[in-house]
Amino acid sequence: YCVEFRTESLSQHCALETRPYARWMQYLREGHTVCVACQPPAMSTDTQRCSGDGHNAHGDKILHWEAIGNSQCQGTWKKIRQLEHCSCPLVHSFIFT
């Protein structure tokens, strides 16, 4: 499944990332919608959910995220909706880890 989030805030460290494999962090923006896929091995075998997917978050609950590979690139987002059938666009798409 996938979860759509609206990025509420992010640290300035995301825009400063220059390593080739991590340049995607430069394109994160406040107010953008991102799509995050929940796939094995991030999915718990017990719950069939990914940690941090905002399962019980509704409305204006602010959730925290952190980029893998640069712990200083972090921020907050709000859950928009969960999609059982993923149709994430090529840009602004991520995977839970």
Side-chain angles (χ1 to χ4, degrees), residues 14-75:
C14 302
L16 301 175
E17 183 60 69
T18 58
R19 293 173 291 175
Y21 68 88
R23 262 190 215 126
W24 61 268
M25 295 177 200
Q26 296 176 4
Y27 301 101
L28 293 169
R29 298 286 183 272
E30 290 180 11
H32 280 193
T33 298
V34 297
C35 186
V36 188
C38 178
Q39 302 173 355
M43 186 182 291
S44 166
T45 52
D46 295 338
T47 64
Q48 296 295 300
R49 305 203 67 82
C50 282
S51 175
D53 70 357
H55 176 59
N56 292 319
H58 301 288
D60 289 336
K61 185 168 184 180
I62 295 192
L63 306 167
H64 295 271
W65 59 267
E66 180 180 300
I68 294 296
N70 181 351
S71 61
Q72 293 183 314
C73 178
Q74 54 187 283

